[in-house]
Amino acid sequence: MRIDILTLFPEMFTSFLDGSLLGAARAAGLIDIRVTDIRDFAEGVHRQVDDRPFGGGPGMLLMPGPVVDCVEGVQRQAGAGHLVMLTPGGRRLDQSIVEELSRKERIVLLCGRYEGFDERIKEILSPDEISIGDYVLSGGEVAAMVIVDAVSRLLPGVLGHEESARQDSFSGAERLVEGPQYTRPREYRGLHVPDVLLSGDHKRIAAWRHERAVDATRRRTLQTTINK
Ligand code: ADE
């Protein structure tokens, strides 16, 4: 898979992309990630990328020229791909959207800054608008990192053991949250690992885990409802 990240702050991605899992996956050629500075497509001595909104209002908007030129420039290099615009008004990211994105051959992630994008950018490019949650970040960069992280760990070979992605929370038909897990020691501060996990009876263990996952999912749903 190839992922292009279009941003005004390319330096934000340096340590993220070189980090353990992604760094190794990139070095092994499992994923090709490139970062492009939108400002490289701006004109004039000041290389302006943003301006005040017509009609008044706070903050600055990204101008259509540099953003559209940047997207089209990157698309000319390696094909159109699936264009994602990170914005709080987009469809809310969940594991099924992550799975959908992981099946694409190529994704282009467009990060905004300031108060948002000039509307014509959306009209011209028709991006898939995605939000990572109902809160406002100071830009799309952290949201793009969330997508790269969640998508790349689903790609064959990236995690090392495919089974662990399949057993994750929100995976599988039921979309269950993962239940409790334990490692050594068997007893810690008087708390014991449940006997069933030490039984060696794989059928019973699977049944117990499923039961706990259903329970954790139900409690989480209740909590979310109470918070609303
Ligand atoms: N940019 C600003 N806030 C965002 C959010 N919640 N999701 C995606 N991109 C954003």
Side-chain angles (χ1 to χ4, degrees), residues 34-45:
R34 311 203 188 184
V35 182
T36 300
D37 191 342
I38 297 171
R39 205 176 288 277
D40 289 346
F41 294 80
E43 288 174 359
V45 269

Side-chain angles (χ1 to χ4, degrees), residues 193-209 212:
V193 175
D195 283 338
V196 58
L197 297 178
L198 309 173
S199 69
D201 181 342
H202 295 295
K203 244 175 117 178
R204 257 184 77 214
I205 292 172
W208 183 86
R209 284 191 169 144
R212 291 294 132 171

Side-chain angles (χ1 to χ4, degrees), residues 156-218:
V158 171
L159 269 191
H161 42 118
E162 307 308 306
E163 198 52 31
S164 78
R166 228 171 298 137
Q167 287 180 3
D168 278 339
S169 291
F170 312 115
S171 302
E174 291 181 279
R175 302 269 167 211
L176 298 176
V177 170
E178 218 168 34
Q181 302 219 72
Y182 300 85
T183 182
R184 289 198 292 181
R186 288 179 177 213
E187 188 232 307
Y188 179 68
R189 295 198 179 183
L191 300 174
H192 295 263
V193 175
D195 283 338
V196 58
L197 297 178
L198 309 173
S199 69
D201 181 342
H202 295 295
K203 244 175 117 178
R204 257 184 77 214
I205 292 172
W208 183 86
R209 284 191 169 144
H210 184 258
E211 210 173 278
R212 291 294 132 171
V214 169
D215 192 46
T217 309
R218 199 173 290 143

Side-chain angles (χ1 to χ4, degrees), residues 85-90 112-114 117 130-144:
M85 175 189 272
L86 286 319
T87 163
R113 276 267 146 175
Y114 312 110
F117 296 90
I130 293 182
S131 160
I132 62 160
D134 291 348
Y135 40 80
V136 180
L137 302 165
S138 48
E141 284 75 14
V142 172

Side-chain angles (χ1 to χ4, degrees), residues 7-8 16 41 65 77 88 91-92 100 103 107 126 128 137-138 146 153 156 158 162 164 168 173 192 199 219 228:
T7 170
L8 287 167
F16 170 69
F41 294 80
Q77 277 172 25
R91 57 185 181 134
R92 201 173 333 142
E100 178 192 316
R103 289 190 287 269
I107 306 175
S126 307
D128 177 8
L137 302 165
S138 48
V146 167
R153 60 190 294 291
V158 171
E162 307 308 306
S164 78
D168 278 339
H192 295 263
S199 69
R219 271 186 287 125
K228 283 216 165 123

Side-chain angles (χ1 to χ4, degrees), residues 22-183:
L22 269 180
R26 293 173 76 210
L30 297 170
I31 186 166
D32 180 6
I33 307 179
R34 311 203 188 184
V35 182
T36 300
D37 191 342
I38 297 171
R39 205 176 288 277
D40 289 346
F41 294 80
E43 288 174 359
V45 269
H46 299 296
R47 301 211 294 159
Q48 190 179 353
V49 291
D50 60 323
D51 212 332
R52 290 188 303 273
F54 281 122
M60 303 286 269
L61 295 179
L62 286 175
M63 299 158 73
V67 175
V68 172
D69 286 353
C70 182
V71 171
E72 289 178 347
V74 163
Q75 287 179 329
R76 260 196 303 277
Q77 277 172 25
H82 182 76
L83 178 64
V84 172
M85 175 189 272
L86 286 319
T87 163
R91 57 185 181 134
R92 201 173 333 142
L93 189 71
D94 60 17
Q95 192 66 18
S96 67
I97 296 180
V98 170
E99 287 167 11
E100 178 192 316
L101 295 176
S102 75
R103 289 190 287 269
K104 309 273 182 205
E105 212 160 282
R106 166 163 163 69
I107 306 175
V108 180
L109 299 173
L110 174 58
C111 307
R113 276 267 146 175
Y114 312 110
E115 298 303 315
F117 296 90
D118 181 292
E119 188 63 21
R120 291 165 293 184
I121 296 170
K122 299 178 193 174
E123 283 176 43
I124 293 167
L125 300 173
S126 307
D128 177 8
E129 295 176 51
I130 293 182
S131 160
I132 62 160
D134 291 348
Y135 40 80
V136 180
L137 302 165
S138 48
E141 284 75 14
V142 172
M145 289 184 207
V146 167
I147 290 185
V148 170
D149 185 297
V151 166
S152 59
R153 60 190 294 291
L154 294 186
L155 301 179
V158 171
L159 269 191
H161 42 118
E162 307 308 306
E163 198 52 31
S164 78
R166 228 171 298 137
Q167 287 180 3
D168 278 339
S169 291
F170 312 115
S171 302
E174 291 181 279
R175 302 269 167 211
L176 298 176
V177 170
E178 218 168 34
Q181 302 219 72
Y182 300 85
T183 182

